[in-house]
Amino acid sequence: MSESDPNLSTPELDAARAKAVALHGDRVAVYELGGRVWCLAVPRQGFRMFWQRYKAQQQSADPTTKADAEVQLARSMLVPCGAAATAEAVKAERAAFDAMGDEYPGLLDVLGAGAEALALGPLPIRAASPPSSSAADGATPTSPPTA
């Protein structure tokens, strides 16, 4: 499989994901976009620090920092799909990511949304139903005061 092949089939992407899981753990996402394969992985240690930085950037008063929060999260989670995440390999992935962003900035947002979804963990998230808001217990609803 060539990472530059823009016509990857689902079985090839599944194979790329299987290889990424073997290298980087089971919390990975593999995408084909911008003419290549990208792999995002939740770091095995220290991920909370990345998440806290992302949350702080989301709340930034600077509109550029705020707009790029998801993109920076994705950039921090980039790993090579078919190789160990050495410093040189991660640096090369980030350089390719930045180059893609220069040509297709919207694709960075796609990977950013994928990074956020991966960080949320296994889905679906379920919650118990809230108590009924009906006044069946005899309470009388009140109207808001009028001026």
Side-chain angles (χ1 to χ4, degrees):
M1 172 183 69
S2 168
E3 285 193 354
S4 63
D5 181 1
N7 299 313
L8 293 173
S9 69
T10 300
E12 289 170 319
L13 280 175
D14 290 344
R17 185 181 191 289
K19 189 166 190 176
V21 166
L23 288 164
H24 308 295
D26 63 348
R27 294 188 61 195
V28 298
V30 176
Y31 301 94
E32 190 282 321
L33 72 147
R36 61 165 291 169
V37 175
W38 299 96
C39 183
L40 302 173
V42 173
R44 293 180 182 171
Q45 297 178 11
F47 187 56
R48 180 137 174 88
M49 176 189 65
F50 291 113
W51 186 252
Q52 289 171 330
R53 183 180 311 136
Y54 162 67
K55 297 300 284 181
Q57 288 173 338
Q58 273 189 321
Q59 303 302 316
S60 175
D62 177 37
T64 302
T65 300
K66 189 174 188 171
D68 268 357
E70 275 186 344
V71 170
Q72 292 304 317
L73 180 64
R75 193 175 190 276
S76 70
M77 295 171 67
L78 283 172
V79 293
C81 282
T86 64
E88 299 82 28
V90 170
K91 185 177 179 180
E93 289 297 302
R94 290 179 178 169
F97 181 82
D98 295 340
M100 181 179 70
D102 289 339
E103 192 169 348
Y104 306 107
L107 292 182
L108 299 182
D109 292 332
V110 173
L111 288 173
E116 184 178 20
L118 189 59
L120 291 175
L123 296 176
I125 298 171
R126 295 185 177 96
S129 299
S132 173
S133 62
S134 68
D137 63 355
T140 307
T142 58
S143 300
T146 58

